[in-house]
Amino acid sequence: MSSSPPEEPYYKVVLLSHKDSDILTLSTAKQNLPLDYPPIQTVDLCSLKVDNDMLNAVNEKIVGPSTATNNNTEVLIIVRLLGRGVPGFQHLLDHAHKHNHYLIVVSGIPGSFEPDLTAMCNNVSVDTINEVMKYFHADGCANNMNNMLRYLADHLFKFGYEYAPAVTMPDHGLYHPKFDGAENTMAYLQECFEHSDKPTVAVIFYRCHYLSGNRAFVDALLDELEVLGVHSIGLFTETLRAAEPMGDVNGHAVERFPTALTYLLHPVTGESMVDVLISSMAFAMGEVNPDGPTLGNWSAEGIKALNVPVLQAINSVGTYDEWKESSRGLNPLDTAMNVAIPEFDGRIITLPVSFMAPVDETNSVQYYEPVVDRVVQVAKQATKLATLRHKPNSDKRIAFMLTNSSGKAERIGDAVGLDTPASIMKVFEAMKAAGYDFGEDGSLPSDGDELIQNLVDRCSYDEIYLTEQQLANAAGHVQKEVYQTLFDTLPQRQKDHIVDQWGKPPGEAYVHNDAISLAGLEFGNIFMALQPPRGYGMDPDKIYHTPDLPPPHNYFALYRWLRDVWKADAIVHMGKHGTLEWLPGKGVGLSSDCYPDTFLDDMPLIYPFIINDPGEGMQSKRRAHSVIIDHLTPPMTTADGYGELAQLMQLVDEYYQIEMLDPSKMPLIQRQIWELIQKINLDEDLSFILNHDHDHHHESGSAHDEAAAEEKGDHHSHSSHDHHHAHASLDEAPKEEKSDHHSHSSHDHHHGHASYNEPSAEEESGHNHSSHDHHHGHVSRDEAAEEENSDHHSHSSHDHHHSHTSCNEDAEEEQSGHSHSSHDHEHSSEDSHEQSSHSHQSHHSHEHPSSEATDSHHNQSSHDHDHEHSSEDSHEHSSHSHQSHHSHEHNHSHSDAEESNDHNFESVLAKMDGKDFAHLIEDMDGYLCELAGAQIRDGLHIMGKVPEGETMIDMLQALTRLSNLEIA
């Protein structure tokens, strides 16, 4: 009886690793293995969540159908661990020992030898384990991985493939797909620098991508840069934190300079051979303190010495489809690693250029797949900046954008805390000294006031004063045919959205003789433009509180005209804040369907921004690739927020962080905010914020800005701030809406010293209005009347002045019997029209239940009502009846009514969706800022002007009271 021939041996290799770069490197290495090399399977250990996952992996990848049916099977299992605690790991060990498989377990940490892992190995010699460690620790490039697999097949399976020893790869080096070897690539970079007039852009990426062959996104960026007409070079590095002293970086000695960046310096002169860096590296160069303030460190000095812009290009760990469908954009992990932390280096945040995509789903092989249109956009931004460095100042064309969200002439340049007209004149002077071209005679207005007056006289967006002649005389015009061409460059979705809301191009707003008029002033190669209103012809609250409302035609026309027709090289937006960064689109990591991306395109944006509001500045950095230039707050003292008020402000800040980084915690933070609101009795104020839209339209300005404007006597109120999340006044409502009403009540809420009120169209036409000034605090009737009389613009405003006083001041007031709820009602008409008959009826109902703890000398319900009626009109009008019904309830004890009110407000809160609650948080944030905000002592800040004398003392005192940096 003859015996059957022995089964042909079957071989199999399985790699299990925590490092996805190992799996990707193996995928690349397999392409150069012999055709008869045994089959290779991989398992991503990070994907195993429970013990059963390991059981399934063993059955599918190690056992499998071939192994189960062939008794003569030899299996090699290679495990590379980062830490311990792999679910079901013991089952893997048991299976390998039971079936006498070759098992090699090594650490994933470079250079690490861990004896307990060696003890887990099975059926292999110590020499074989050490050789495998050499291949891994020499860095798993595809060549090393290929030779390691050949070595193991020869020594364990007795194949004769031949192999090469491990080769250690450099930690840093230059890369270009057209060149082989470091010497050739360095020679190319030096050639570009020494013998070419074209700029050069470097792309920095992780060394592991270089070694594993995961370079598709790098190659895409390098190729696109060269298509755009600049030189490109790649730079791989293990880390940017590896640093060394450098005696000459562009002529500066630096104690610690990133070793990787030394490859970009000329070996003789020390000059930077590149004009822009595009970094795809996550995290920051310097150290970030998660438990407190992150102070400036060596990384800032290194980047400063290199003296080139650094753009942050994002490789997302998510998928393209997840990002495309998300209104938020990037996921929280991407936002933290690739946006928030790199911002500490001062990198310019751009866009996601690639997403994880599967190559071999069976073996968990993924790579970064580039997104073509995002790669093009980042390359265009880098090219624009690089080209600027090669242009002489005299040829650079720079556009300055002034905030003018309400469209009102008196609100032009109403940046928070910044004297915009005076600051822009300072900048102009510096630019002239630096050789910028301001025209043939180079003449400029004498000061900021004249600058704004010239702008208003020529053309503004204020329909109250705007004439056809001004539209014709505007600094810029976009003809209908030209605009149609520009409009056609927008994505179809945006075009449909704009047409649905604002009609066909060129729309109706600011159109004269079939051309869109653009307000501004031109000085040679400098153009000063007004940012157009966000919308028109509708409720101002709706304009600023509808996140998906598309901007009108003239808004897009300005930005695209500046780029494509006027040929601007960069835009400088003067002061907090504009509306571009708040246009519809993703929160971070924008797509081509996001309005800031398509409107701004590749235009560099420089943004002087007040230093004490990084939260809103962050919006522009992340949604409009802006470079923030911080400016000081005005010389001031601050009310500050203490105790529970400070705690609430901190919760609001945490709300914004959680909204972006960990949305699952939103319900918890909302509850904490609501409970603290109740505890500190802010629910009444917020109830007003929630419900006022049903009855009133009002405009909120920054009190300290308006106070400064009042001090300056500037009737244009250039320094007042129109917060875009606040509520615009009836003055901004459409004229046809106004014409049907004779009685209006415009409400301005100012938390500070004074206010500037605005004229309305009805006042100019002779309508009678009632003026109601409610001063809560220590503002006397004489002071209120003086404020009213000093403001010749104001005829119909309802001002709520909440002055900030100390506890000592409150005590003094109680002792002297001052009233806490003094109400001044002044009804006046200063129009030059005669009114024949007016009936003014005011009904005021005030209920003040007294608290038992109230001192007898403290009058909590004292009310002064002054009604002044003057008529100076020269035109006759029919009888108008103005009825003002005011019911003021000041309860100083917790009554049942209050509890019911609280319950009702809580019910309203519970019914809010995420968008409504976000609007409430925005309003509350503004309100808290007002409560704890600055009280300007000596006007607004002027860029380039250092405070002097007492104002310097005030500034230093205010800064040393800040809660950060542990300064008492």
Side-chain angles (χ1 to χ4, degrees):
M1 181 173 167
S2 61
S3 61
S4 59
E7 286 185 286
E8 286 290 326
Y10 180 78
Y11 303 99
K12 177 186 289 188
V13 178
V14 181
L15 172 67
L16 301 91
S17 179
H18 276 120
K19 303 183 74 169
D20 58 359
S21 59
D22 285 347
I23 295 174
L24 187 57
T25 301
L26 178 58
S27 176
T28 304
K30 284 166 58 177
Q31 299 173 18
N32 293 318
L33 287 172
L35 294 177
D36 62 344
Y37 194 91
I40 303 174
Q41 301 282 329
T42 57
V43 176
D44 181 3
L45 291 178
C46 293
S47 67
L48 307 183
K49 307 302 179 184
V50 295
D51 289 355
N52 274 342
D53 292 341
M54 178 63 82
L55 293 174
N56 294 333
V58 169
N59 291 330
E60 293 174 10
K61 302 295 179 71
I62 297 176
V63 178
S66 300
T67 308
T69 59
N70 193 329
N71 293 324
N72 192 15
T73 300
E74 296 187 39
V75 179
L76 167 62
I77 303 171
I78 308 168
V79 183
R80 198 171 187 210
L81 295 176
L82 287 174
R84 303 296 188 271
V86 176
F89 189 66
Q90 188 59 48
H91 177 77
L92 174 66
L93 297 180
D94 293 343
H95 179 87
H97 285 270
K98 178 181 178 181
H99 295 279
N100 204 30
H101 294 325
Y102 300 110
L103 175 63
I104 301 173
V105 184
V106 297
S107 172
I109 302 174
S112 174
F113 174 77
E114 302 178 28
D116 61 320
L117 298 184
T118 302
M120 297 177 186
C121 297
N122 182 62
N123 210 18
V124 292
S125 67
V126 173
D127 288 341
T128 300
I129 297 171
N130 288 337
E131 200 65 30
V132 169
M133 291 175 63
K134 287 180 182 178
Y135 279 109
F136 275 125
H137 293 169
D139 297 307
C141 68
N143 283 338
N144 279 339
M145 184 75 76
N146 182 289
N147 283 301
M148 182 188 75
L149 292 170
R150 290 168 179 263
Y151 164 83
L152 290 170
D154 285 2
H155 280 73
L156 301 179
F157 296 156
K158 308 306 179 185
F159 283 81
Y161 292 132
E162 297 185 352
Y163 57 88
V167 177
T168 300
M169 303 299 294
D171 289 337
H172 326 277
L174 296 176
Y175 164 77
H176 197 288
K178 296 179 181 178
F179 303 99
D180 291 327
E183 292 184 3
N184 292 334
T185 314
M186 175 58 79
Y188 166 71
L189 178 58
Q190 286 186 228
E191 177 72 18
C192 294
F193 176 70
E194 295 172 353
H195 303 291
S196 175
D197 294 331
K198 294 196 299 185
T200 301
V201 177
V203 178
I204 310 176
F205 60 103
Y206 279 110
R207 176 174 175 267
C208 63
H209 299 323
Y210 172 77
L211 298 177
S212 66
N214 187 14
R215 302 188 293 262
F217 71 93
V218 180
D219 293 346
L221 280 168
L222 297 178
D223 290 345
E224 186 58 37
L225 287 164
E226 294 187 355
V227 168
L228 293 170
V230 299
H231 298 301
S232 64
I233 195 75
L235 172 64
F236 65 83
T237 179
E238 184 73 26
T239 175
L240 287 172
R241 292 188 176 182
E244 59 188 68
M246 286 295 293
D248 186 5
V249 180
N250 284 325
H252 301 280
V254 182
E255 289 186 10
R256 293 183 64 192
F257 187 76
T259 303
L261 300 185
T262 61
Y263 287 78
L264 305 179
L265 301 179
H266 193 277
V268 177
T269 66
E271 294 176 85
S272 171
M273 293 188 287
V274 300
D275 298 285
V276 172
L277 299 182
I278 300 176
S279 172
S280 63
M281 308 279 288
F283 304 105
M285 284 170 52
E287 296 178 359
V288 177
N289 178 15
D291 300 318
T294 295
L295 304 177
N297 51 41
W298 67 269
S299 62
E301 291 301 314
I303 292 295
K304 182 179 178 181
L306 191 64
N307 194 31
V308 299
V310 182
L311 277 63
Q312 178 71 6
I314 299 163
N315 291 318
S316 172
V317 298
T319 68
Y320 174 82
D321 290 338
E322 290 170 347
W323 166 77
K324 192 68 176 177
E325 297 302 319
S326 171
S327 61
R328 186 180 303 276
L330 295 176
N331 61 48
L333 181 60
D334 280 330
T335 302
M337 293 193 313
N338 294 305
V339 177
I341 298 177
E343 285 175 334
F344 283 98
D345 285 344
R347 302 183 201 175
I348 302 170
I349 305 302
T350 64
L351 306 163
V353 294
S354 70
F355 294 88
M356 293 300 290
V359 177
D360 179 357
E361 293 190 54
T362 303
N363 290 299
S364 304
V365 181
Q366 292 185 311
Y367 81 115
Y368 284 123
E369 183 175 47
V371 181
V372 176
D373 78 297
R374 300 295 81 193
V375 168
V376 170
Q377 194 74 335
V378 172
K380 285 166 58 180
Q381 292 176 23
T383 300
K384 198 86 170 180
L385 288 169
T387 303
L388 262 177
R389 289 173 58 87
H390 283 249
K391 256 191 179 183
N393 287 345
S394 58
D395 293 340
K396 293 175 183 174
R397 293 174 66 78
I398 309 299
F400 284 79
M401 192 76 69
L402 300 187
T403 296
N404 190 216
S405 58
S406 67
K408 294 185 177 297
E410 63 266 29
R411 295 288 191 180
I412 291 175
D414 56 353
V416 173
L418 182 69
D419 189 332
T420 307
S423 295
I424 206 168
M425 292 303 299
K426 282 273 189 184
V427 174
F428 283 175
E429 291 169 8
M431 292 177 71
K432 286 186 73 172
Y436 285 81
D437 182 3
F438 279 82
E440 292 183 5
D441 58 1
S443 61
L444 290 171
S446 59
D447 57 24
D449 289 342
E450 183 181 345
L451 178 75
I452 299 299
Q453 190 62 57
N454 291 348
L455 179 63
V456 173
D457 289 345
R458 181 162 185 177
C459 181
S460 72
Y461 296 122
D462 193 332
E463 295 185 1
I464 293 176
Y465 306 111
L466 191 61
T467 66
E468 289 294 316
Q469 181 59 39
Q470 287 178 318
L471 287 173
N473 196 38
H477 291 94
V478 186
Q479 295 298 323
K480 180 179 179 179
E481 297 77 13
V482 174
Y483 178 71
Q484 184 66 58
T485 302
L486 300 176
F487 184 74
D488 288 341
T489 64
L490 288 173
Q492 190 61 47
R493 184 176 177 181
Q494 288 185 3
K495 289 192 290 186
D496 293 343
H497 202 188
I498 294 173
V499 170
D500 288 347
Q501 181 66 49
W502 306 110
K504 294 181 179 180
E508 299 178 359
Y510 310 104
V511 174
H512 179 77
N513 290 340
D514 271 349
I516 298 175
S517 299
L518 303 175
L521 294 173
E522 188 171 17
F523 307 98
N525 285 344
I526 310 300
F527 191 92
M528 190 179 76
L530 290 188
Q531 189 176 55
R534 179 74 170 74
Y536 59 90
M538 59 193 301
D539 179 1
D541 273 356
K542 186 176 181 181
I543 291 175
Y544 296 112
H545 282 181
T546 305
D548 59 351
L549 181 71
H553 289 285
N554 64 308
Y555 195 107
F556 171 65
L558 173 62
Y559 279 93
R560 191 49 59 92
W561 178 84
L562 284 173
R563 179 188 182 275
D564 293 350
V565 180
W566 195 77
K567 301 296 183 181
D569 291 307
I571 294 176
V572 180
H573 190 108
M574 290 297 291
K576 171 193 171 182
H577 59 66
T579 52
L580 176 75
E581 61 267 32
W582 303 95
L583 296 182
K586 298 181 186 298
V588 61
L590 274 58
S591 72
S592 58
D593 284 330
C594 301
Y595 284 87
D597 180 82
T598 49
F599 280 31
L600 191 60
D601 202 356
D602 58 358
M603 188 70 66
L605 178 61
I606 296 92
Y607 212 145
F609 209 91
I610 193 164
I611 195 171
N612 66 355
D613 194 356
E616 294 204 19
M618 193 182 300
Q619 279 290 108
S620 182
K621 289 174 68 174
R622 297 178 181 181
R623 303 192 75 234
H625 59 259
S626 70
V627 176
I628 297 292
I629 307 295
D630 288 318
H631 68 75
L632 286 175
T633 57
M636 63 185 180
T637 57
T638 57
D640 284 342
Y642 299 103
E644 290 162 334
L645 187 62
Q647 185 181 348
L648 180 59
M649 296 171 73
Q650 181 178 350
L651 282 174
V652 171
D653 287 342
E654 290 177 5
Y655 170 90
Y656 285 123
Q657 295 282 347
I658 288 171
E659 183 184 31
M660 188 70 69
L661 297 177
D662 194 356
S664 64
K665 294 181 181 178
M666 293 283 284
L668 174 62
I669 196 74
Q670 290 172 354
R671 168 54 51 183
Q672 290 176 325
I673 288 173
W674 166 237
E675 289 175 351
L676 192 54
I677 285 171
Q678 287 183 304
K679 185 176 180 181
I680 61 179
N681 299 318
L682 274 182
D683 45 323
E684 249 187 61
D685 291 21
L686 295 182
S687 180
F688 172 77
I689 291 175
L690 274 177
N691 297 315
H692 78 284
D693 285 337
H694 299 294
D695 305 309
H696 311 296
H697 306 289
H698 62 271
E699 185 168 37
S700 172
S702 174
H704 56 265
D705 293 348
E706 298 185 349
E710 189 168 2
E711 289 175 11
K712 292 162 63 179
D714 184 357
H715 71 280
H716 286 298
S717 184
H718 305 310
S719 56
S720 62
H721 172 234
D722 180 18
H723 197 289
H724 304 298
H725 306 296
H727 311 284
S729 73
L730 271 177
D731 299 340
E732 298 173 355
K735 291 183 178 179
E736 57 270 11
E737 182 179 324
K738 296 177 179 179
S739 62
D740 296 333
H741 299 80
H742 293 291
S743 178
H744 301 276
S745 179
S746 167
H747 301 258
D748 286 346
H749 298 259
H750 306 293
H751 310 274
H753 296 305
S755 73
Y756 256 168
N757 305 315
E758 302 166 8
S760 66
E762 298 87 359
E763 290 167 334
E764 296 192 347
S765 61
H767 290 199
N768 184 31
H769 304 268
S770 58
S771 172
H772 306 275
D773 287 350
H774 293 250
H775 305 275
H776 302 278
H778 313 294
V779 182
S780 70
R781 292 191 304 275
D782 293 338
E783 291 170 336
E786 185 176 349
E787 286 181 344
E788 170 101 1
N789 293 334
S790 67
D791 184 4
H792 62 274
H793 280 306
S794 176
H795 301 289
S796 72
S797 67
H798 189 156
D799 292 341
H800 298 252
H801 301 272
H802 302 268
S803 62
H804 307 293
T805 61
S806 67
C807 294
N808 294 334
E809 288 173 327
D810 289 337
E812 290 174 5
E813 181 183 76
E814 290 182 12
Q815 291 172 4
S816 61
H818 287 188
S819 168
H820 272 220
S821 52
S822 168
H823 297 264
D824 297 345
H825 303 273
E826 305 176 11
H827 304 271
S828 65
S829 173
E830 300 177 10
D831 296 346
S832 58
H833 305 284
E834 182 174 348
Q835 299 171 339
S836 58
S837 146
H838 303 273
S839 173
H840 300 270
Q841 301 178 11
S842 296
H843 304 280
H844 307 274
S845 173
H846 306 276
E847 301 178 10
H848 302 275
S850 300
S851 171
E852 293 179 1
T854 305
D855 294 336
S856 60
H857 68 275
H858 181 198
N859 181 7
Q860 290 180 322
S861 58
S862 170
H863 297 269
D864 298 326
H865 307 275
D866 297 342
H867 305 271
E868 302 177 4
H869 310 282
S870 64
S871 177
E872 302 174 6
D873 301 346
S874 60
H875 295 285
E876 292 189 1
H877 281 253
S878 59
S879 174
H880 301 283
S881 176
H882 301 269
Q883 300 181 356
S884 177
H885 304 273
H886 300 274
S887 175
H888 304 276
E889 299 184 5
H890 300 265
N891 299 318
H892 301 283
S893 62
H894 294 286
S895 64
D896 293 339
E898 275 185 310
E899 292 175 6
S900 174
N901 232 6
D902 292 344
H903 177 73
N904 291 338
F905 182 69
E906 187 171 8
S907 299
V908 172
L909 192 71
K911 294 177 183 178
M912 286 184 172
D913 60 18
K915 186 183 297 184
D916 289 335
F917 192 86
H919 290 161
L920 175 62
I921 289 293
E922 289 170 0
D923 286 331
M924 182 169 67
D925 190 17
Y927 183 57
L928 291 173
C929 287
E930 298 268 354
L931 288 179
Q935 299 182 17
I936 294 176
R937 286 238 177 143
D938 191 25
L940 298 169
H941 174 68
I942 299 175
M943 291 184 68
K945 183 178 180 181
V946 179
E948 299 175 350
E950 292 186 4
T951 59
M952 173 62 83
I953 296 173
D954 286 343
M955 172 65 73
L956 294 175
Q957 287 177 339
L959 290 175
T960 54
R961 291 177 65 194
L962 296 176
S963 59
N964 63 336
L965 306 185
E966 299 182 358
I967 297 176

